[in-house]
Amino acid sequence: MEIQTIGVVGAGQMGNGIAHVLALAGYDVKLNDIKQEAIDRALDIIRKNMDRQVSREKITAEERDAALGRISSTLTLTDLGPSDLIIEAATERETVKTAIFEDLVPHLKPTTILSSNTSSISITRLASRTDRPERFMGFHFMNPVPVMQLVELIRGIATDEATYQACARVVERLGKTASSAEDFPAFIVNRILMPMINEAVYVLYEGVGNVKSIDMAMKLGANHPMGPLELADFIGLDTCLAIMNVLHDGLADTKYRPCPLLTKYVEAGWLGRKTQRGFYDYRGEEPVPTR
């Protein structure tokens, strides 16, 4: 299976980063979203990020221009049908993802590989709603995509070896490293990371430390580049809560119970950087802890 044309569903933070790295690696990319404003914003972000790479001499201006020329866009999901590989990077809600795959299936080539950038939802279950569970993979990029070196490749119970190898070759061509994970809730990275973030929220909830002291403790005491609450704001508190709920529901273990304070922040719409407030308030010149 030689992959050259790749469709990306969703032009948000993850989708634009995925389109960026694929185009730089020489793939022809078609970016889809339901809103033209989202596509326009994504293309603007991709150009600005590539301009930054040129200014830092990571890529040449010619490589940037060639990559931008390989990205096209569409508001029509079914236009992605002829792609060799489709990477779904829509909202982290199973109903949304399932609807996307069900709409795509009648328009696919027999050889098209379907994949999802989900950070926690069952690949086996998503694959079962398509006509090709053997040609379905979890293709989980880390955020920010152009910077982070890891991609988790997750096999569903039916995924065949040829599909895995084809996706692994894409990761290699991107200059990234593939980590192979089995299809259990939250896979590897988030199975370890999210309970740590959730525990940091419990430490805040119980008054053991405030936002600043918790983040400082983990940055200086464990040599983490970002504190857990700062990282939660970067990821999005709604995403953190969704993954904790997947862990709690999927593994039926009380150690994965989402902290009530995390739930409260999400209920308030304080989702982190994307809403300007989370564990920090980002509306001023410097982020200010909210607790």
Side-chain angles (χ1 to χ4, degrees):
M1 296 180 204
E2 281 309 312
I3 292 171
Q4 182 52 40
T5 57
I6 302 179
V8 178
V9 183
Q13 188 175 39
M14 296 304 294
N16 76 60
I18 293 167
H20 174 139
V21 298
L22 291 173
L24 271 181
Y27 291 105
D28 298 318
V29 181
K30 185 157 286 196
L31 182 61
N32 163 260
D33 202 279
I34 56 173
K35 294 181 180 177
Q36 186 62 47
E37 312 89 81
I39 290 174
D40 293 342
R41 186 165 57 248
L43 294 174
D44 185 53
I45 290 169
I46 291 168
R47 174 174 282 281
K48 285 178 179 173
N49 286 341
M50 286 189 186
D51 286 344
R52 189 177 298 115
Q53 287 178 303
V54 171
S55 69
R56 293 176 179 173
E57 298 184 347
K58 302 284 187 185
I59 61 173
T60 66
E62 292 76 17
E63 287 170 330
R64 174 200 61 200
D65 295 342
L68 290 170
R70 284 190 284 269
I71 302 173
S72 61
S73 63
T74 180
L75 293 171
T76 306
L77 178 65
T78 54
D79 287 349
L80 272 51
S83 306
D84 300 324
L85 167 68
I86 295 175
I87 302 173
E88 170 275 315
T91 305
E92 189 69 358
R93 289 207 305 272
E94 188 166 346
T95 52
V96 172
K97 294 178 185 298
T98 297
I100 287 167
F101 291 124
E102 288 178 345
D103 287 347
L104 275 170
V105 160
H107 305 275
L108 300 176
K109 298 189 301 184
T111 55
T112 299
I113 295 173
L114 290 175
S115 69
S116 176
N117 184 58
T118 179
S119 51
S120 62
I121 297 167
S122 167
I123 297 304
T124 298
R125 201 162 59 238
L126 289 174
S128 73
R129 304 298 294 271
T130 76
D131 66 341
R132 59 195 68 210
E134 73 286 350
R135 301 174 73 82
F136 195 107
M137 287 263 341
F139 211 124
H140 182 215
F141 288 86
M142 305 296 125
N143 185 32
V145 179
V147 175
M148 301 296 278
Q149 291 301 302
L150 186 77
V151 178
E152 279 185 311
L153 290 180
I154 305 100
R155 291 179 175 92
I157 197 169
T159 306
D160 65 26
E161 184 63 19
T163 297
Y164 176 83
Q165 292 300 332
C167 292
R169 286 195 294 273
V170 173
V171 176
E172 185 178 2
R173 184 164 156 184
L174 295 178
K176 297 186 183 294
T177 299
S179 172
S180 181
E182 293 304 313
D183 186 24
F184 290 97
F187 320 130
I188 296 172
V189 173
N190 283 317
R191 173 78 177 265
I192 297 168
L193 175 64
M194 286 303 160
M196 184 198 76
I197 287 175
N198 194 54
E199 193 63 27
V201 184
Y202 267 114
V203 170
L204 179 64
Y205 177 62
E206 293 167 6
V208 179
N210 60 28
V211 169
K212 188 174 181 181
S213 64
I214 292 166
D215 277 349
M216 187 69 69
M218 293 308 292
K219 282 196 281 191
L220 300 185
N223 205 27
H224 290 189
M226 296 173 75
L229 302 176
E230 181 186 5
L231 179 57
D233 276 358
F234 181 76
I235 293 167
L237 304 193
D238 52 340
T239 300
C240 294
L241 179 60
I243 295 169
M244 287 309 301
N245 280 325
V246 166
L247 281 165
H248 191 233
D249 295 344
L251 297 171
D253 192 324
T254 55
K255 74 180 180 181
Y256 298 116
R257 182 171 70 96
C259 180
L261 184 60
L262 177 60
T263 303
K264 193 63 66 184
Y265 268 73
V266 173
E267 288 174 344
W270 291 19
L271 308 181
R273 285 181 175 271
K274 61 187 174 186
T275 60
Q276 296 293 293
R277 277 192 291 188
F279 292 114
Y280 292 85
D281 188 325
Y282 299 92
R283 294 174 296 176
E285 289 187 15
E286 294 288 328
V288 177
T290 54
R291 278 180 176 256

